[in-house]
Amino acid sequence: MLFLLSKIKSSIKNLKIFSAGSRSAFTSTRTDHTHPNWLSVALAFGTSAFLWALLFKQHSTDVHEYRVRNGLQ
């Protein structure tokens, strides 16, 4: 039992704890906010606009079908 506890203590001592302010291992450079990537911005907003348009179109189709089924039109 004591052997197991000493092993756990030694493994805790060998464990490296990273500080909270450390940078991600997947980022090699800091992002430059003064020169945004306009292609990515345009793709993000374009995709969002397309999805909203699709949602509104689907909603109007569903409302029309509801009115036809219930004899409201």
Side-chain angles (χ1 to χ4, degrees):
M1 181 75 175
L2 290 175
F3 175 74
L4 186 60
L5 288 175
S6 65
K7 278 294 227 188
I8 292 173
K9 282 183 182 179
S10 65
S11 64
I12 290 175
K13 286 180 186 177
N14 293 334
L15 183 67
K16 292 184 179 181
I17 299 173
F18 297 102
S19 66
S22 67
R23 293 173 61 192
S24 172
F26 301 107
T27 305
S28 61
T29 59
R30 293 183 184 259
T31 45
D32 185 15
H33 296 293
T34 59
H35 298 92
N37 185 354
W38 290 111
L39 180 63
S40 294
V41 171
L43 283 173
F45 281 114
T47 303
S48 179
F50 173 75
L51 289 174
W52 275 106
L54 196 64
L55 178 72
F56 286 133
K57 181 181 176 290
Q58 185 65 43
H59 175 70
S60 67
T61 304
D62 291 343
V63 168
H64 177 70
E65 183 181 342
Y66 171 80
R67 288 180 179 164
V68 168
R69 282 188 180 190
N70 292 322
L72 299 173
Q73 191 170 10

